[in-house]
């Protein structure tokens, strides 16, 4: 090999290695976003078909799919009213879709791809917040990078995640839960000089994204674990401040969807069909 070429190769490899060691989380983030965008994005945008048999089922005609999904309040009790509101994340996706040079048939693939983006960002930021809470931050190495890369791969590419694609990843729960957990973890166990910022961010995050029973349940389970550990470690003042700061901020910032959900009187949109139930029962017995 040419000496100058070999020297250039080793210098480049050392620079890449140094960058990865210095930025393990952002490197893993970039890699997974690239994989998802190139592989999943190209597969979806070049494919055909539509989601069926779930809450967000779409018909064959997708010409106005984006407008049908992002409406404000539905006269619809069969599908929870909260899941059909014009919540901030859905509006952001709708606006971004309108700006990008995408056609009608690209809307649902774009929505799936964006769900992956949200999930990857939320999970890796959650991991980073937890890492920043550790007292010993000297072990920035390729091992840390590989750990983040592998953990994110398991989180993103598992069958459960795939099963929830059409539910917009449980309406962004896969983004909200790890990020909220990371913010709470750093608040209780980190040495942040401005802990109130973590509380405000967590409250705003939950008020904006926690608009479905799914997310409330999952966030509740995740935060309960953090609170129990904090209670065992006798962080009583922090627990009280967390409860009386995060919850009020989440409620106040979420009033734009909470009040209509509580005050709106939807009418049932589904009628039980004995014929269908009898057919299902017969098929089950067969």
């Amino acid at each position: 090999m040419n000496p100058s070429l070999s020297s250039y190769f080793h210098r480049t490899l050392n620079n890449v290695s140094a960058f990865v060691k210095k930025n393990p989380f952002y490197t893993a983030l970039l890699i997974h976003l690239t994989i998802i965008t190139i592989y999943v994005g190209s597969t979806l945008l070049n494919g055909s078909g539509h989601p069926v048999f779930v809450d967000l089922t779409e018909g064959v005609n997708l010409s106005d799919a984006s407008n049908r999904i992002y409406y404000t309040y539905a006269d619809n009790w069969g599908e929870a009213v909260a899941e059909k509101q014009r919540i901030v994340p859905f509006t952001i996706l709708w606006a971004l879709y309108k700006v990008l040079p995408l056609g009608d048939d690209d809307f649902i693939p774009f929505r799936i791809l964006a769900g992956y983006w949200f999930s990857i960002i939320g999970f890796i930021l959650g991991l980073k917040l937890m890492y920043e809470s550790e007292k010993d931050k000297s072990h920035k190495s390729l091992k840390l990078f590989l750990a983040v890369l592998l953990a994110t791969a398991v989180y993103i590419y598992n069958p459960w995640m795939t099963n929830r694609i059409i539910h917009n990843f449980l309406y962004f729960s896969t983004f909200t839960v790890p990020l909220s957990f990371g913010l709470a973890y750093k608040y209780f166990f980190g040495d942040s000089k401005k802990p109130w910022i973590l509380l405000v961010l967590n409250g705003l995050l939950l008020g904006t994204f926690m608009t479905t029973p799914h997310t409330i349940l999952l966030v509740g389970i995740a935060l309960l674990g953090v609170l129990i550990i904090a209670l065992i470690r006798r962080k009583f003042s922090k627990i009280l401040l967390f409860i009386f700061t995060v919850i009020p901020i989440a409620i106040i910032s979420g009033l734009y969807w909470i009040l209509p959900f509580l005050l709106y009187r939807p009418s049932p949109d589904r009628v039980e069909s004995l014929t269908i139930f009898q057919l299902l029962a017969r098929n089950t017995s067969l």
Side-chain angles (χ1 to χ4, degrees):
M1 180 180 291
N2 188 300
S4 60
L5 183 61
S6 176
S7 176
Y8 173 78
F9 174 77
H10 286 292
R11 188 168 59 252
T12 303
L13 187 62
N14 289 335
N15 290 337
V16 171
S17 177
F19 178 83
V20 172
K21 290 179 181 180
K22 186 178 180 180
N23 305 279
F25 294 95
Y26 295 123
T27 305
L29 176 67
L30 179 62
I31 289 175
H32 280 294
L33 287 178
T34 302
I35 292 174
I36 285 295
T37 303
I38 293 177
Y39 178 72
V40 177
S42 62
T43 301
L44 290 172
L45 295 177
N46 292 328
S48 60
H50 55 278
V52 295
F53 201 61
V54 291
D55 293 349
L56 294 181
T57 299
E58 291 297 335
V60 177
N61 181 13
L62 300 178
S63 60
D64 61 345
S66 60
N67 296 325
R68 291 201 307 273
I69 288 181
Y70 300 115
Y71 54 85
T72 307
Y73 306 116
D75 188 16
N76 180 338
W77 188 249
E79 300 175 11
V81 178
E83 296 179 354
K84 286 295 189 182
Q85 293 178 358
R86 194 189 301 273
I87 59 176
V88 173
F90 280 108
T91 305
I92 293 174
L93 289 188
W94 180 83
L96 186 58
Y97 162 76
K98 290 296 186 180
V99 171
L100 295 174
L102 298 174
D104 294 332
D105 293 337
D106 298 329
F107 171 67
I108 291 177
F110 167 76
R111 195 176 67 194
I112 294 172
L113 185 59
Y116 271 116
W117 291 338
F118 270 87
S119 302
I120 293 171
I121 292 172
F123 184 75
I124 292 183
L125 287 182
L127 291 180
K128 187 174 186 298
L129 288 167
M130 294 176 65
Y131 174 75
E132 291 175 350
S133 305
E134 299 297 322
K135 294 182 179 179
D136 181 14
K137 302 182 182 67
S138 61
H139 48 278
K140 284 189 176 181
S141 63
L142 289 177
K143 291 182 179 179
L144 177 61
F145 160 70
L146 292 175
V148 175
L149 190 69
L150 180 60
T152 307
V154 173
Y155 183 73
I156 296 298
Y157 308 119
N158 68 78
W160 184 90
M161 182 76 74
T162 304
N163 187 49
R164 293 301 181 181
I165 283 177
I166 309 173
H167 290 84
N168 278 103
F169 297 88
L170 271 185
Y171 302 93
F172 303 97
S173 296
T174 51
F175 163 78
T176 310
V177 175
L179 188 52
S180 177
F181 182 88
L183 288 169
Y185 189 93
K186 185 174 182 179
Y187 165 73
F188 281 111
F189 311 115
D191 55 355
S192 175
K193 296 180 180 179
K194 297 180 179 180
W196 60 271
I197 294 181
L198 300 174
L199 296 176
V200 172
L201 288 177
N202 213 338
L204 293 175
L205 172 73
L206 297 181
T208 303
F209 286 84
M210 198 167 64
T211 53
T212 67
H214 313 86
T215 314
I216 294 174
L217 176 62
L218 294 174
V219 168
I221 293 174
L223 294 184
L224 180 62
V226 179
L227 289 173
I228 290 176
I229 297 175
L231 185 62
I232 294 174
R233 297 189 180 183
R234 299 179 178 275
K235 297 181 180 290
F236 303 121
S237 59
K238 278 196 169 186
I239 292 175
L240 290 176
L241 185 60
F242 181 86
I243 293 175
F244 290 104
T245 302
V246 173
I247 294 179
I249 291 177
I251 293 176
I252 293 173
S253 61
L255 286 178
Y256 72 94
W257 67 267
I258 293 175
L259 286 179
F261 179 65
L262 295 176
L263 299 176
Y264 190 70
R265 298 181 61 186
S267 59
D269 68 328
R270 297 177 181 176
V271 179
E272 294 184 0
S273 171
L274 294 179
T275 303
I276 294 177
F277 282 113
Q278 291 171 354
L279 181 60
L280 290 174
R282 187 185 70 180
N283 291 338
T284 301
S285 63
L286 290 176

